[in-house]
Amino acid sequence: MKSYDPEFRRIVDWVDANRDRIDASLPWSDPNSIETAMWMESFLQLAAELPLPEPPPIVRQRLRQSFARLQHVRAKTESTTYVPELLVDTRVDRELIGVRGTAQSTTPDVFQLVLRAPVATVFLEIATAAECSRTLSGQVILSSFGPPVFEATAVSEGLRIRSVYGNGNGEFRLENVPDDSGLLLLDNGQICLRIELGRITRQL
């Protein structure tokens, strides 16, 4: 019968928890596991006995400065949030149905919105897909040069539905979004457009 060869991580965990009695209580009988466990024990013992001098003060200072700079860079790369203003709602402006290549529908199950922020314009279509769910699709047009691909996230109470399949034209699509999703976030890593769906859809 083939002897049991435990995973390396399991041996590491056992050696770390049983260093004071490793010689007498190895739970494995196969030579490979025993040899691995004994090698780990000798390595840990050598590491504990090896004297390591304190680094020069300048090394510690430079490490702290490097971590501070890294933290500053991370903070600066967080997206700046904008709340676009509603310009067009085809539930009201019926003559604008079909704007910018969206569905040419006059049914109440599909309507289109145009929203604008200082950095971008959003064309959004909201369509009833099934009972208690909707499809959100559209396009973000940037006012100036920037990353064109947007990650779309619909947020409802206790649930986030995310799509990372935006394309280089700023287009996005989210399917099977619950009706009670009150927030749509469009983020390209530099800007985040926060669209309050709950407030908009309750206006009519």
Side-chain angles (χ1 to χ4, degrees):
M1 188 174 84
K2 184 178 179 179
S3 60
Y4 175 58
D5 185 17
E7 295 178 354
F8 187 80
R9 181 179 294 275
R10 294 183 61 189
I11 300 177
V12 172
D13 292 341
W14 188 91
V15 170
D16 187 61
N18 298 274
R19 292 184 60 191
D20 57 336
R21 52 192 179 90
I22 188 170
D23 293 325
S25 56
L26 282 172
W28 308 290
S29 59
D30 65 286
N32 289 336
S33 297
I34 294 174
E35 182 179 354
T36 300
M38 298 302 293
W39 179 86
M40 288 182 187
E41 171 60 15
S42 62
F43 177 83
L44 291 172
Q45 184 176 354
L46 177 62
E49 296 174 354
L50 183 65
L52 294 175
E54 287 290 322
I58 189 61
V59 173
R60 183 180 290 107
Q61 176 178 296
R62 287 178 176 171
L63 283 173
R64 288 175 178 170
Q65 292 171 339
S66 296
F67 279 115
R69 284 194 295 269
L70 179 61
Q71 188 67 28
H72 180 66
V73 170
R74 286 178 175 173
K76 290 190 67 175
T77 57
E78 292 181 0
S79 298
T80 302
T81 299
Y82 297 88
V83 180
E85 294 183 0
L86 179 63
L87 297 181
V88 175
D89 185 336
T90 57
R91 294 173 298 177
V92 177
D93 306 300
R94 306 300 296 176
E95 70 277 7
L96 296 176
I97 291 176
V99 66
R100 202 164 184 88
T102 50
Q104 304 287 335
S105 174
T106 58
T107 69
D109 293 336
V110 180
F111 64 95
Q112 298 148 10
L113 307 172
V114 180
L115 307 101
R116 180 170 295 166
V119 293
T121 301
V122 180
F123 300 88
L124 174 62
E125 179 175 280
I126 301 177
T128 300
E131 186 177 357
C132 300
S133 70
R134 298 179 291 185
T135 296
L136 308 180
S137 60
Q139 185 177 19
V140 180
I141 305 297
L142 292 170
S143 301
S144 58
F145 179 79
V149 181
F150 281 79
E151 174 186 280
T153 304
V155 182
S156 61
E157 186 174 352
L159 180 66
R160 297 174 71 94
I161 298 177
R162 185 180 66 170
S163 173
V164 295
Y165 298 107
N167 62 26
N169 295 322
E171 296 174 339
F172 60 89
R173 184 178 180 87
L174 284 168
E175 298 180 346
N176 300 318
V177 177
D179 282 344
D180 63 351
S181 297
L183 185 63
L184 173 64
L185 302 174
L186 303 170
D187 196 323
N188 70 350
Q190 292 184 359
I191 65 172
C192 177
L193 301 168
R194 180 185 176 94
I195 300 173
E196 298 178 359
L197 293 173
R199 178 179 57 82
I200 291 172
T201 55
R202 285 195 301 268
Q203 287 183 356
L204 291 184

